[in-house]
Amino acid sequence: MKKLVLGAAIAAALTATAAQAAITVDANGVPVINPADTNILYLSGASAAEKFIEKVITDVSVPAVDKICDSSKKIYKFQDTAATSQYAYLCERATTNPSVPSNKANILIYKRSAGGSAFGVSPIVAEANGNTAAATIEFLKISSACTVTTAAGVGALTKISCAYDPADATKFVNHIPDFGISDVDPGQFTGNNAPINPDTNAPYESVTSADVAKLTVKSASALTFGVPVTKNLYFALQAAQKSTGAIPAACVVGDETEACMPNLTSAQVASIHAGAIVDWNQLKVGTVGLYDWVNTPANGASAYAPGAPYLHTCRRENGSGTQAQSNIKFLADPCAGGAALTAASDTVVQGFAEGDGLAMVHENNSSGNVDLCLNELQDGTNAANSFDNTYGVRWAVGIQSLEKSTAAATKYRFVKLDGVAPTLANVVKGKYRDWAENTFQYSNTHVFSSISAENTALKALTNAVIKSSGAPEVMAALNNGFTHTFTTAKGAYLAVPTNYAPEANGAFLSTRPVSPFSHATAAVPANNCRVPSIYNNGSVGSGDTGL
């Protein structure tokens, strides 16, 4: 009887409508946070979640049933001074979404991007294993010392800057994250993919299957990745493949339409990332190495030749979610026990030089630094930044998601993979394979598991944020910011069928992009090692026709 009474009390507290408590501000316009009328969540991990949350909070296209915040009221965005790693969003709750608890009038969501996917997994696992010290991490500190930088009315974000310094205890708050997000599911962060602790530059312990069993894991979205190559390499491949008939004869070198894109196979990309190709002459144009073929004047492609034939790779560091998905897709690492392992260390640090018989592999701790690596190798420059280009102009291959837009001025281009362009439509048709499901996760022993009206409300809000952040309309709004030279269709993200039904007959709809495929099943959560399949007896277009 006691349990029944308690359950009824909790249900009543969740469904009761909280008295309206409008957000109040101090004399400087900075909101005063009142926990008595505000449900507060802490989220850490991959930067993608910050984009999801901002869109679901602010975009007018989000259906009423998926709204988290009341967009007819003022919404506030707190961010660190550099606006790069720590954020928080404050709003009045939406009353149109039945999944958003009504026990409190306002919602505050902290989002830590510092440390990326590593901090969307390791603190969550640490808490699940009872290590509260390792689970406790730094978040932005909201106080009267913050400064309004952009005051806005209804329909736009009021932005507020807060000083943040993880080395200064007065400029952060410690908290165990309520949930985390990572570019791939937590089980992939093992072995070579073990997250790196940015504070020590050493790997955390590998995530085990026993660890994963202690978590609730939910798919967030499907993110499409591509194979970027320096622009000179792109045009060299285009010229070579046109000469062999692999690209239509009507294509002119420099044409960047989808029909004229050059191609690399999965086996070639795997060989590159495994360090098995060290010299571009290992790729043949007929019987001639690619580097020698381009340097033959009669072939008309010498303008795109690098200064030397040595292969360079601009990759991410171990523990990066982007690197983890590449290891999974091309090297079956850790899926096959790391049978084919990626070249793991920056060859410059190890002291290797070009011509020593090893691929020149450059590790980068952010996608922005991968850009720098590709840009400088394309131009032969050496700017004062994190990449030290002592080589000159070289051909290079990188790892990036389609969040990285390409334009005429961009120094690199995405190529086809196995003859298929990296478009959302091709993912939905089941033709393009280089994509991954990012996931939200929380510990099964988090405060959510302690029965109280407060904790039950926080769990309900967490699950509402997870679902709404991956709404098709949120994905469509994000996709509008990602443009590419090879297609007029924009985008990098798809909603996942575990949360939202795909279009009928497997169709792709840019205004409501949902994949029919998942690495999850109806019985088990996403595992990016699993070959994706149609979810829950859905349907898919026939591929080439898309019908």
Side-chain angles (χ1 to χ4, degrees), residues 82-101:
T84 57
S85 64
Q86 294 277 7
Y87 307 89
Y89 293 89
L90 176 67
C91 66
E92 294 184 37
R93 67 173 178 84
T95 60
T96 55
N97 183 343
S99 298
V100 173

Side-chain angles (χ1 to χ4, degrees), residues 207-416:
V207 176
T208 67
S209 58
D211 294 330
V212 176
K214 299 173 184 177
L215 309 178
T216 294
V217 181
K218 298 190 176 186
S219 295
S221 70
L223 177 57
T224 307
F225 290 81
V227 180
V229 302
T230 48
K231 192 160 64 171
N232 280 348
L233 175 56
Y234 181 96
F235 294 136
L237 288 169
Q238 192 177 46
Q241 291 174 10
K242 180 182 175 182
S243 76
T244 63
I247 288 178
C251 291
V252 176
V253 175
D255 185 331
E256 298 191 37
T257 59
E258 183 173 344
C260 297
M261 290 174 73
N263 177 66
L264 288 173
T265 67
S266 291
Q268 289 168 335
V269 174
S271 299
I272 288 169
H273 289 308
I277 295 178
V278 301
D279 186 311
W280 285 107
N281 275 327
Q282 289 176 254
L283 266 66
K284 302 296 182 180
V285 185
T287 60
V288 181
L290 179 63
Y291 177 79
D292 288 344
W293 186 91
V294 168
N295 275 290
T296 302
N299 293 324
S302 55
Y304 310 117
Y310 307 114
L311 185 145
H312 287 250
T313 302
C314 299
R315 55 158 280 176
R316 292 291 304 278
E317 79 282 16
N318 287 358
S320 152
T322 297
Q323 186 63 44
Q325 77 78 32
S326 179
N327 290 350
I328 292 165
K329 292 295 179 180
F330 295 108
L331 299 174
D333 182 8
C335 314
L341 300 181
T342 185
S345 300
D346 188 329
T347 52
V348 175
V349 172
Q350 290 189 5
F352 297 119
E354 290 184 324
D356 286 350
L358 294 169
M360 302 303 293
V361 181
H362 311 289
E363 291 187 0
N364 299 274
N365 63 7
S366 71
S367 61
N369 287 340
V370 172
D371 276 4
L372 296 177
C373 178
L374 292 167
N375 291 347
E376 292 191 11
L377 289 169
Q378 163 63 27
D379 288 345
T381 56
N382 188 22
N385 55 42
S386 62
F387 179 63
D388 185 19
N389 181 22
T390 60
Y391 311 98
V393 176
R394 294 292 187 270
W395 288 340
V397 178
I399 301 171
Q400 290 286 30
S401 77
L402 270 289
E403 290 176 290
K404 289 293 184 178
S405 297
T406 52
T410 309
K411 306 297 184 182
Y412 61 81
R413 299 288 187 270
F414 290 105
V415 298
K416 288 181 177 178

